[in-house]
Amino acid sequence: MESPLPLPVERAIHRLGSDISLARRRRHISQASLAERMGASLSTVRRMEQGDVRVPIHFFARALHVFGEIHALEHLLDTPNDDIGLTLMDEQLPKRVRDKPGTSGAL
């Protein structure tokens, strides 16, 4: 049995589906046309726009690609500025670094 999705996850997927629907309509693209461009079925596009959490993420990525917005997905997690991850890494740094015997300290 699957555990239920956290409410913030459900809300985010529902919001993404709504935003895809809005972007499609603003561009005057039918659901059928979007489905064809994405290589998906019409029912998949409908479910995606309704925020169905069972729609695989690659369909959301394909929709973003059709709209020319795939870069948004590429930059979702900004690892160079991940404060928590960087702090955890810094905590693991050694207090001192000593030369191994037979090596110089030069790079």
Side-chain angles (χ1 to χ4, degrees), residues 36-102:
E36 184 179 331
R37 294 180 193 189
M38 289 172 48
S41 68
L42 179 58
S43 66
T44 297
V45 170
R46 286 182 178 150
R47 289 179 28 239
M48 181 179 61
E49 289 186 356
Q50 292 169 355
D52 186 336
V53 298
R54 296 168 298 173
V55 175
I57 191 170
H58 70 90
F59 286 115
F60 289 95
R62 289 174 183 214
L64 291 171
H65 178 69
V66 168
F67 298 143
E69 296 290 337
I70 193 65
H71 64 278
L73 183 61
E74 294 171 345
H75 299 289
L76 280 180
L77 189 57
D78 186 14
T79 54
N81 295 313
D82 177 12
D83 292 335
I84 295 171
L86 293 171
T87 299
L88 291 170
M89 283 176 50
D90 288 348
E91 288 175 358
Q92 299 299 317
L93 290 175
K95 300 286 185 219
R96 295 183 255 192
V97 177
R98 295 187 178 149
D99 290 335
K100 294 179 182 178

